[in-house]
Amino acid sequence: MEKKAPNRWPKGTSGNLAGRTPGVEKVRQLLDPHREELVAKAVEMAMAGDGIALRLCLDRISPPPRSESPPVRIPGLAAGGSMSDKARAILAAAGKALISPDTATMMLGAIANAAKIIEADELADRITALESKTAT
């Protein structure tokens, strides 16, 4: 019996059945020829003290930073057998300042999520085995 993941859309089908919001592309097409004038006006308004225009300009010049972490090497992580061993390796690396606390938190969260997925898969396998024993 093939497992079907809940809340999955059939292959090739979008979850947004209505598609893109009507008119968005039309608005872009109408505004595009006036792009430079609109930007100049927003800058003018920002320079005149319009807070909303100022925020718009600043957000475009310097958008909020994205959370990006460089690749890390943690001694013992690849060799660690259990999830607990891997978590200990991550905590040790954070304690030695080899990785940032944010990176450690993100990695520990990933391990916790992986553990939940593994647990759910093992539980589903056990239920299937029990059902097949009961059916016979």
Side-chain angles (χ1 to χ4, degrees):
M1 177 168 90
E2 184 178 324
K3 292 181 188 178
K4 183 179 180 209
N7 301 325
R8 291 281 170 108
W9 296 100
K11 188 173 183 174
T13 304
S14 168
N16 182 3
L17 299 178
R20 188 177 277 178
T21 306
V24 171
E25 195 57 40
K26 181 70 173 167
V27 170
R28 286 183 183 154
Q29 290 172 359
L30 290 171
L31 291 175
D32 197 46
H34 309 286
R35 178 186 303 235
E36 289 188 26
E37 298 162 42
L38 292 169
V39 169
K41 183 64 176 180
V43 170
E44 177 188 325
M45 291 171 66
M47 296 300 288
D50 185 321
I52 294 172
L54 178 61
R55 179 178 295 251
L56 178 90
C57 290
L58 289 176
D59 284 349
R60 294 297 170 184
I61 293 169
S62 178
R66 289 189 211 171
S67 176
E68 292 183 14
S69 299
V72 295
R73 294 195 187 279
I74 299 175
L77 185 63
S82 69
M83 296 269 185
S84 298
D85 293 338
K86 293 180 185 305
R88 285 187 196 94
I90 292 168
L91 290 172
K96 294 176 185 174
L98 297 175
I99 60 173
S100 71
D102 289 342
T103 300
T105 300
M106 183 177 62
M107 293 180 77
L108 290 170
I111 287 176
N113 287 336
K116 288 178 188 175
I117 292 168
I118 291 167
E119 182 180 10
D121 283 346
E122 288 174 352
L123 186 58
D125 291 343
R126 290 175 64 191
I127 290 171
T128 303
L130 285 171
E131 287 174 346
S132 67
K133 282 184 182 179
T134 308
T136 54

